[in-house]
Amino acid sequence: MPYDPTNYLGSATHYRRGRPAYSPELESVLSQEADLDGNGRLLDVGCGPGILTLRLAHLFEQAVGLDPDADMLAEGRRAAEENSIRNIRWVQGLAEELPAVAPGPFRMVTFGQSFQWTDERAVAEAVYDMLTPGGALALVVHTAAGRTRPTGPGLPAIPHEEITALVRKYLGSTRRAGQRVVPQRTHRFEDVLAQTRFGVPQQFFLPGIPDLIRDSESVLSGYLSLSSSAPHLFGDRLDDFAADVRALLANRSADGIFWDWPGDTEVLLARKPD
Ligand SMILES: C[S@@+](CC[C@H](N)C(=O)[O-])C[C@H]1O[C@@H](n2cnc3c(N)ncnc32)[C@H](O)[C@@H]1O
């Protein structure tokens, strides 16, 4: 699908506050399964505000965060500075412009909830050529379907169904992104990779955080960080939507604290032969 620069218009400042973290086991599993030893470079494609880039940079000599959205990159740069992480280079560009925008070689190339935005098969083939022998491609997402939901810490769960109903009330029932309606993805990433030189990837499920606690503003930011409910889509009704979400959340939790379980972290790992 052609890139639309308004996909995440207004979302960048909400992203870090609003998105739940991936599994705490991510670094150790990637290190072990991809034989990371501190050498080489990481390329994080569709890095957004650097969620994976910042978490994984210390496992490499250098990391590159690639994203077409300048506001997302600015948030990533700011977070890296705040955390005194100095080995990340930020590059504005599309996955489809690889390798030109971020030439290899790389030890690992990651996509955190971003592969679906790209011309998947062609991009995977380009990545294959950019990896060092033995290097790895890792596709990282939250997966709740089919995973065992933990019991939680006894706090109210985020009322996702009701908030989604509010989004529909304001934006209509077809899922939007940028200037378009987004078709539901019906294929699996593993089937795409199986058709490339990578072949069938390994699949890992790493336990999500079982007792993640979020406040109302974080929940609202989570929705505003999604392309399907990005701030620009609401136009001059954004404040009304925010007020409705806040009222709903206040009704569900007097102190505005919620339990969130985004699912386990699913990693598809594909290696280039050594
Ligand atoms: C859901 S965010 C993922 C951010 C981060 N990787 C994470 O794990 O949370 C998707 C990101 O993909 C970026 N993106 C969209 N189309 C892209 C493309 N064709 N090439 C590279 N990145 C793209 C968006 O700008 C956005 O920042």
Side-chain angles (χ1 to χ4, degrees), residues 17-47:
R17 182 166 29 145
R19 292 287 183 117
Y22 296 122
S23 170
E25 294 182 17
L26 185 62
E27 290 86 341
S28 60
V29 170
L30 288 181
S31 294
Q32 190 179 323
E33 298 297 333
D35 301 317
L36 302 180
D37 59 5
N39 291 312
R41 296 194 303 150
L42 164 74
L43 173 63
D44 183 24
V45 183
C47 63

PDB file of all heavy atoms in Angstrom, residues 17-47:
ATOM      1  N   ARG A  17       3.829   7.297  25.698  1.00  0.00           N
ATOM      2  CA  ARG A  17       2.993   7.298  26.892  1.00  0.00           C
ATOM      3  C   ARG A  17       1.867   6.270  26.782  1.00  0.00           C
ATOM      4  O   ARG A  17       1.420   5.694  27.760  1.00  0.00           O
ATOM      5  CB  ARG A  17       2.392   8.700  27.087  1.00  0.00           C
ATOM      6  CG  ARG A  17       1.558   8.825  28.325  1.00  0.00           C
ATOM      7  CD  ARG A  17       1.246  10.264  28.688  1.00  0.00           C
ATOM      8  NE  ARG A  17       1.185  11.170  27.552  1.00  0.00           N
ATOM      9  CZ  ARG A  17       0.342  12.189  27.476  1.00  0.00           C
ATOM     10  NH1 ARG A  17      -0.489  12.432  28.458  1.00  0.00           N
ATOM     11  NH2 ARG A  17       0.349  12.996  26.442  1.00  0.00           N
ATOM     12  N   GLY A  18       1.410   6.038  25.545  1.00  0.00           N
ATOM     13  CA  GLY A  18       0.181   5.274  25.384  1.00  0.00           C
ATOM     14  C   GLY A  18       0.336   3.813  25.018  1.00  0.00           C
ATOM     15  O   GLY A  18      -0.615   3.043  25.140  1.00  0.00           O
ATOM     16  N   ARG A  19       1.510   3.412  24.545  1.00  0.00           N
ATOM     17  CA  ARG A  19       1.641   2.028  24.084  1.00  0.00           C
ATOM     18  C   ARG A  19       2.255   1.139  25.153  1.00  0.00           C
ATOM     19  O   ARG A  19       3.283   1.493  25.745  1.00  0.00           O
ATOM     20  CB  ARG A  19       2.514   1.984  22.826  1.00  0.00           C
ATOM     21  CG  ARG A  19       1.877   2.634  21.605  1.00  0.00           C
ATOM     22  CD  ARG A  19       0.752   1.774  21.036  1.00  0.00           C
ATOM     23  NE  ARG A  19       0.227   2.398  19.829  1.00  0.00           N
ATOM     24  CZ  ARG A  19       0.280   1.841  18.618  1.00  0.00           C
ATOM     25  NH1 ARG A  19       0.837   0.660  18.443  1.00  0.00           N
ATOM     26  NH2 ARG A  19      -0.236   2.477  17.575  1.00  0.00           N
ATOM     27  N   PRO A  20       1.644  -0.010  25.404  1.00  0.00           N
ATOM     28  CA  PRO A  20       2.209  -0.936  26.386  1.00  0.00           C
ATOM     29  C   PRO A  20       3.539  -1.509  25.894  1.00  0.00           C
ATOM     30  O   PRO A  20       3.756  -1.669  24.697  1.00  0.00           O
ATOM     31  CB  PRO A  20       1.140  -2.031  26.480  1.00  0.00           C
ATOM     32  CG  PRO A  20       0.352  -1.929  25.224  1.00  0.00           C
ATOM     33  CD  PRO A  20       0.421  -0.507  24.763  1.00  0.00           C
ATOM     34  N   ALA A  21       4.408  -1.807  26.861  1.00  0.00           N
ATOM     35  CA  ALA A  21       5.742  -2.313  26.516  1.00  0.00           C
ATOM     36  C   ALA A  21       5.672  -3.775  26.086  1.00  0.00           C
ATOM     37  O   ALA A  21       4.777  -4.515  26.491  1.00  0.00           O
ATOM     38  CB  ALA A  21       6.661  -2.169  27.727  1.00  0.00           C
ATOM     39  N   TYR A  22       6.648  -4.173  25.293  1.00  0.00           N
ATOM     40  CA  TYR A  22       6.797  -5.585  24.924  1.00  0.00           C
ATOM     41  C   TYR A  22       7.320  -6.363  26.135  1.00  0.00           C
ATOM     42  O   TYR A  22       7.743  -5.782  27.148  1.00  0.00           O
ATOM     43  CB  TYR A  22       7.774  -5.720  23.754  1.00  0.00           C
ATOM     44  CG  TYR A  22       7.312  -5.057  22.470  1.00  0.00           C
ATOM     45  CD1 TYR A  22       8.082  -4.066  21.852  1.00  0.00           C
ATOM     46  CD2 TYR A  22       6.119  -5.431  21.860  1.00  0.00           C
ATOM     47  CE1 TYR A  22       7.670  -3.465  20.674  1.00  0.00           C
ATOM     48  CE2 TYR A  22       5.702  -4.821  20.675  1.00  0.00           C
ATOM     49  CZ  TYR A  22       6.476  -3.844  20.096  1.00  0.00           C
ATOM     50  OH  TYR A  22       6.060  -3.249  18.931  1.00  0.00           O
ATOM     51  N   SER A  23       7.349  -7.671  25.980  1.00  0.00           N
ATOM     52  CA  SER A  23       7.778  -8.573  27.057  1.00  0.00           C
ATOM     53  C   SER A  23       9.152  -8.202  27.625  1.00  0.00           C
ATOM     54  O   SER A  23      10.072  -7.869  26.868  1.00  0.00           O
ATOM     55  CB  SER A  23       7.856 -10.007  26.509  1.00  0.00           C
ATOM     56  OG  SER A  23       8.477 -10.852  27.439  1.00  0.00           O
ATOM     57  N   PRO A  24       9.312  -8.297  28.941  1.00  0.00           N
ATOM     58  CA  PRO A  24      10.630  -8.053  29.546  1.00  0.00           C
ATOM     59  C   PRO A  24      11.679  -9.071  29.087  1.00  0.00           C
ATOM     60  O   PRO A  24      12.873  -8.841  29.275  1.00  0.00           O
ATOM     61  CB  PRO A  24      10.380  -8.217  31.055  1.00  0.00           C
ATOM     62  CG  PRO A  24       8.920  -8.329  31.246  1.00  0.00           C
ATOM     63  CD  PRO A  24       8.260  -8.589  29.930  1.00  0.00           C
ATOM     64  N   GLU A  25      11.235 -10.175  28.484  1.00  0.00           N
ATOM     65  CA  GLU A  25      12.199 -11.198  28.047  1.00  0.00           C
ATOM     66  C   GLU A  25      12.737 -10.961  26.634  1.00  0.00           C
ATOM     67  O   GLU A  25      13.527 -11.753  26.117  1.00  0.00           O
ATOM     68  CB  GLU A  25      11.544 -12.586  28.113  1.00  0.00           C
ATOM     69  CG  GLU A  25      11.233 -12.991  29.539  1.00  0.00           C
ATOM     70  CD  GLU A  25      10.630 -14.390  29.642  1.00  0.00           C
ATOM     71  OE1 GLU A  25      10.737 -15.166  28.673  1.00  0.00           O
ATOM     72  OE2 GLU A  25      10.047 -14.668  30.688  1.00  0.00           O
ATOM     73  N   LEU A  26      12.287  -9.875  26.009  1.00  0.00           N
ATOM     74  CA  LEU A  26      12.631  -9.676  24.596  1.00  0.00           C
ATOM     75  C   LEU A  26      14.143  -9.661  24.350  1.00  0.00           C
ATOM     76  O   LEU A  26      14.655 -10.341  23.463  1.00  0.00           O
ATOM     77  CB  LEU A  26      11.992  -8.375  24.103  1.00  0.00           C
ATOM     78  CG  LEU A  26      12.145  -8.070  22.615  1.00  0.00           C
ATOM     79  CD1 LEU A  26      11.478  -9.142  21.761  1.00  0.00           C
ATOM     80  CD2 LEU A  26      11.549  -6.702  22.295  1.00  0.00           C
ATOM     81  N   GLU A  27      14.863  -8.865  25.143  1.00  0.00           N
ATOM     82  CA  GLU A  27      16.304  -8.725  24.913  1.00  0.00           C
ATOM     83  C   GLU A  27      17.018 -10.068  25.058  1.00  0.00           C
ATOM     84  O   GLU A  27      17.842 -10.440  24.227  1.00  0.00           O
ATOM     85  CB  GLU A  27      16.930  -7.726  25.895  1.00  0.00           C
ATOM     86  CG  GLU A  27      16.537  -6.276  25.671  1.00  0.00           C
ATOM     87  CD  GLU A  27      15.237  -5.878  26.361  1.00  0.00           C
ATOM     88  OE1 GLU A  27      14.440  -6.782  26.710  1.00  0.00           O
ATOM     89  OE2 GLU A  27      15.012  -4.671  26.534  1.00  0.00           O
ATOM     90  N   SER A  28      16.679 -10.806  26.124  1.00  0.00           N
ATOM     91  CA  SER A  28      17.414 -12.051  26.374  1.00  0.00           C
ATOM     92  C   SER A  28      17.093 -13.093  25.302  1.00  0.00           C
ATOM     93  O   SER A  28      17.983 -13.810  24.830  1.00  0.00           O
ATOM     94  CB  SER A  28      17.143 -12.589  27.779  1.00  0.00           C
ATOM     95  OG  SER A  28      15.786 -12.851  27.930  1.00  0.00           O
ATOM     96  N   VAL A  29      15.833 -13.159  24.873  1.00  0.00           N
ATOM     97  CA  VAL A  29      15.486 -14.165  23.858  1.00  0.00           C
ATOM     98  C   VAL A  29      16.139 -13.814  22.512  1.00  0.00           C
ATOM     99  O   VAL A  29      16.712 -14.682  21.844  1.00  0.00           O
ATOM    100  CB  VAL A  29      13.950 -14.300  23.723  1.00  0.00           C
ATOM    101  CG1 VAL A  29      13.579 -15.153  22.522  1.00  0.00           C
ATOM    102  CG2 VAL A  29      13.370 -14.892  25.003  1.00  0.00           C
ATOM    103  N   LEU A  30      16.096 -12.542  22.131  1.00  0.00           N
ATOM    104  CA  LEU A  30      16.729 -12.171  20.863  1.00  0.00           C
ATOM    105  C   LEU A  30      18.235 -12.434  20.925  1.00  0.00           C
ATOM    106  O   LEU A  30      18.826 -12.946  19.967  1.00  0.00           O
ATOM    107  CB  LEU A  30      16.464 -10.698  20.529  1.00  0.00           C
ATOM    108  CG  LEU A  30      15.035 -10.350  20.090  1.00  0.00           C
ATOM    109  CD1 LEU A  30      14.924  -8.861  19.779  1.00  0.00           C
ATOM    110  CD2 LEU A  30      14.600 -11.173  18.872  1.00  0.00           C
ATOM    111  N   SER A  31      18.851 -12.092  22.060  1.00  0.00           N
ATOM    112  CA  SER A  31      20.305 -12.308  22.191  1.00  0.00           C
ATOM    113  C   SER A  31      20.646 -13.777  22.030  1.00  0.00           C
ATOM    114  O   SER A  31      21.564 -14.143  21.298  1.00  0.00           O
ATOM    115  CB  SER A  31      20.796 -11.870  23.575  1.00  0.00           C
ATOM    116  OG  SER A  31      20.660 -10.494  23.703  1.00  0.00           O
ATOM    117  N   GLN A  32      19.867 -14.608  22.716  1.00  0.00           N
ATOM    118  CA  GLN A  32      20.172 -16.042  22.699  1.00  0.00           C
ATOM    119  C   GLN A  32      19.862 -16.662  21.337  1.00  0.00           C
ATOM    120  O   GLN A  32      20.695 -17.370  20.764  1.00  0.00           O
ATOM    121  CB  GLN A  32      19.333 -16.722  23.781  1.00  0.00           C
ATOM    122  CG  GLN A  32      19.740 -18.151  24.021  1.00  0.00           C
ATOM    123  CD  GLN A  32      18.887 -18.761  25.123  1.00  0.00           C
ATOM    124  OE1 GLN A  32      18.542 -18.084  26.091  1.00  0.00           O
ATOM    125  NE2 GLN A  32      18.554 -20.026  24.972  1.00  0.00           N
ATOM    126  N   GLU A  33      18.689 -16.374  20.825  1.00  0.00           N
ATOM    127  CA  GLU A  33      18.266 -17.061  19.597  1.00  0.00           C
ATOM    128  C   GLU A  33      18.971 -16.547  18.355  1.00  0.00           C
ATOM    129  O   GLU A  33      19.079 -17.264  17.367  1.00  0.00           O
ATOM    130  CB  GLU A  33      16.739 -16.928  19.425  1.00  0.00           C
ATOM    131  CG  GLU A  33      15.935 -17.558  20.534  1.00  0.00           C
ATOM    132  CD  GLU A  33      16.137 -19.078  20.614  1.00  0.00           C
ATOM    133  OE1 GLU A  33      16.452 -19.689  19.584  1.00  0.00           O
ATOM    134  OE2 GLU A  33      15.975 -19.633  21.720  1.00  0.00           O
ATOM    135  N   ALA A  34      19.458 -15.306  18.396  1.00  0.00           N
ATOM    136  CA  ALA A  34      20.153 -14.763  17.217  1.00  0.00           C
ATOM    137  C   ALA A  34      21.651 -14.646  17.468  1.00  0.00           C
ATOM    138  O   ALA A  34      22.358 -14.019  16.678  1.00  0.00           O
ATOM    139  CB  ALA A  34      19.552 -13.408  16.845  1.00  0.00           C
ATOM    140  N   ASP A  35      22.115 -15.235  18.567  1.00  0.00           N
ATOM    141  CA  ASP A  35      23.561 -15.258  18.880  1.00  0.00           C
ATOM    142  C   ASP A  35      24.175 -13.861  18.890  1.00  0.00           C
ATOM    143  O   ASP A  35      25.260 -13.646  18.330  1.00  0.00           O
ATOM    144  CB  ASP A  35      24.324 -16.139  17.862  1.00  0.00           C
ATOM    145  CG  ASP A  35      23.806 -17.566  17.859  1.00  0.00           C
ATOM    146  OD1 ASP A  35      23.569 -18.097  18.954  1.00  0.00           O
ATOM    147  OD2 ASP A  35      23.629 -18.125  16.760  1.00  0.00           O
ATOM    148  N   LEU A  36      23.497 -12.912  19.526  1.00  0.00           N
ATOM    149  CA  LEU A  36      24.042 -11.552  19.577  1.00  0.00           C
ATOM    150  C   LEU A  36      25.189 -11.517  20.581  1.00  0.00           C
ATOM    151  O   LEU A  36      25.106 -12.118  21.660  1.00  0.00           O
ATOM    152  CB  LEU A  36      22.953 -10.559  19.985  1.00  0.00           C
ATOM    153  CG  LEU A  36      21.720 -10.532  19.075  1.00  0.00           C
ATOM    154  CD1 LEU A  36      20.708  -9.503  19.579  1.00  0.00           C
ATOM    155  CD2 LEU A  36      22.109 -10.239  17.626  1.00  0.00           C
ATOM    156  N   ASP A  37      26.266 -10.806  20.216  1.00  0.00           N
ATOM    157  CA  ASP A  37      27.449 -10.783  21.090  1.00  0.00           C
ATOM    158  C   ASP A  37      27.971  -9.362  21.298  1.00  0.00           C
ATOM    159  O   ASP A  37      29.120  -9.161  21.657  1.00  0.00           O
ATOM    160  CB  ASP A  37      28.561 -11.659  20.494  1.00  0.00           C
ATOM    161  CG  ASP A  37      28.946 -11.177  19.096  1.00  0.00           C
ATOM    162  OD1 ASP A  37      28.415 -10.127  18.656  1.00  0.00           O
ATOM    163  OD2 ASP A  37      29.779 -11.839  18.448  1.00  0.00           O
ATOM    164  N   GLY A  38      27.105  -8.365  21.029  1.00  0.00           N
ATOM    165  CA  GLY A  38      27.517  -6.974  21.232  1.00  0.00           C
ATOM    166  C   GLY A  38      28.139  -6.354  20.000  1.00  0.00           C
ATOM    167  O   GLY A  38      28.344  -5.139  19.946  1.00  0.00           O
ATOM    168  N   ASN A  39      28.446  -7.179  19.010  1.00  0.00           N
ATOM    169  CA  ASN A  39      29.047  -6.650  17.777  1.00  0.00           C
ATOM    170  C   ASN A  39      27.977  -6.370  16.727  1.00  0.00           C
ATOM    171  O   ASN A  39      26.854  -6.846  16.823  1.00  0.00           O
ATOM    172  CB  ASN A  39      30.063  -7.653  17.219  1.00  0.00           C
ATOM    173  CG  ASN A  39      31.276  -7.758  18.105  1.00  0.00           C
ATOM    174  OD1 ASN A  39      31.843  -6.746  18.510  1.00  0.00           O
ATOM    175  ND2 ASN A  39      31.655  -8.984  18.443  1.00  0.00           N
ATOM    176  N   GLY A  40      28.378  -5.622  15.705  1.00  0.00           N
ATOM    177  CA  GLY A  40      27.502  -5.406  14.571  1.00  0.00           C
ATOM    178  C   GLY A  40      26.473  -4.313  14.821  1.00  0.00           C
ATOM    179  O   GLY A  40      26.473  -3.644  15.854  1.00  0.00           O
ATOM    180  N   ARG A  41      25.581  -4.176  13.839  1.00  0.00           N
ATOM    181  CA  ARG A  41      24.612  -3.068  13.874  1.00  0.00           C
ATOM    182  C   ARG A  41      23.181  -3.601  13.809  1.00  0.00           C
ATOM    183  O   ARG A  41      22.916  -4.642  13.208  1.00  0.00           O
ATOM    184  CB  ARG A  41      24.855  -2.147  12.682  1.00  0.00           C
ATOM    185  CG  ARG A  41      26.209  -1.439  12.699  1.00  0.00           C
ATOM    186  CD  ARG A  41      26.229  -0.307  11.695  1.00  0.00           C
ATOM    187  NE  ARG A  41      25.920  -0.758  10.341  1.00  0.00           N
ATOM    188  CZ  ARG A  41      25.324   0.000   9.422  1.00  0.00           C
ATOM    189  NH1 ARG A  41      24.990   1.251   9.691  1.00  0.00           N
ATOM    190  NH2 ARG A  41      25.084  -0.481   8.209  1.00  0.00           N
ATOM    191  N   LEU A  42      22.287  -2.810  14.399  1.00  0.00           N
ATOM    192  CA  LEU A  42      20.838  -3.077  14.362  1.00  0.00           C
ATOM    193  C   LEU A  42      20.185  -2.068  13.435  1.00  0.00           C
ATOM    194  O   LEU A  42      20.511  -0.878  13.483  1.00  0.00           O
ATOM    195  CB  LEU A  42      20.248  -2.907  15.770  1.00  0.00           C
ATOM    196  CG  LEU A  42      18.719  -2.781  15.858  1.00  0.00           C
ATOM    197  CD1 LEU A  42      18.041  -4.129  15.619  1.00  0.00           C
ATOM    198  CD2 LEU A  42      18.291  -2.227  17.219  1.00  0.00           C
ATOM    199  N   LEU A  43      19.248  -2.542  12.608  1.00  0.00           N
ATOM    200  CA  LEU A  43      18.371  -1.631  11.869  1.00  0.00           C
ATOM    201  C   LEU A  43      16.948  -1.888  12.356  1.00  0.00           C
ATOM    202  O   LEU A  43      16.458  -3.018  12.272  1.00  0.00           O
ATOM    203  CB  LEU A  43      18.467  -1.891  10.359  1.00  0.00           C
ATOM    204  CG  LEU A  43      17.455  -1.110   9.493  1.00  0.00           C
ATOM    205  CD1 LEU A  43      17.679   0.397   9.597  1.00  0.00           C
ATOM    206  CD2 LEU A  43      17.535  -1.559   8.023  1.00  0.00           C
ATOM    207  N   ASP A  44      16.291  -0.847  12.881  1.00  0.00           N
ATOM    208  CA  ASP A  44      14.907  -0.965  13.354  1.00  0.00           C
ATOM    209  C   ASP A  44      14.014  -0.213  12.368  1.00  0.00           C
ATOM    210  O   ASP A  44      14.033   1.014  12.304  1.00  0.00           O
ATOM    211  CB  ASP A  44      14.797  -0.383  14.774  1.00  0.00           C
ATOM    212  CG  ASP A  44      13.392  -0.549  15.342  1.00  0.00           C
ATOM    213  OD1 ASP A  44      12.668  -1.455  14.903  1.00  0.00           O
ATOM    214  OD2 ASP A  44      13.039   0.239  16.245  1.00  0.00           O
ATOM    215  N   VAL A  45      13.251  -0.972  11.587  1.00  0.00           N
ATOM    216  CA  VAL A  45      12.471  -0.387  10.488  1.00  0.00           C
ATOM    217  C   VAL A  45      11.052  -0.068  10.970  1.00  0.00           C
ATOM    218  O   VAL A  45      10.413  -0.898  11.607  1.00  0.00           O
ATOM    219  CB  VAL A  45      12.408  -1.367   9.293  1.00  0.00           C
ATOM    220  CG1 VAL A  45      11.663  -0.712   8.125  1.00  0.00           C
ATOM    221  CG2 VAL A  45      13.793  -1.804   8.872  1.00  0.00           C
ATOM    222  N   GLY A  46      10.573   1.130  10.631  1.00  0.00           N
ATOM    223  CA  GLY A  46       9.271   1.576  11.136  1.00  0.00           C
ATOM    224  C   GLY A  46       9.392   1.742  12.636  1.00  0.00           C
ATOM    225  O   GLY A  46       8.544   1.313  13.418  1.00  0.00           O
ATOM    226  N   CYS A  47      10.486   2.391  13.037  1.00  0.00           N
ATOM    227  CA  CYS A  47      10.867   2.451  14.464  1.00  0.00           C
ATOM    228  C   CYS A  47       9.916   3.316  15.267  1.00  0.00           C
ATOM    229  O   CYS A  47       9.906   3.235  16.501  1.00  0.00           O
ATOM    230  CB  CYS A  47      12.298   2.966  14.604  1.00  0.00           C
ATOM    231  SG  CYS A  47      12.524   4.661  14.011  1.00  0.00           S
TER     232      CYS A  47
END
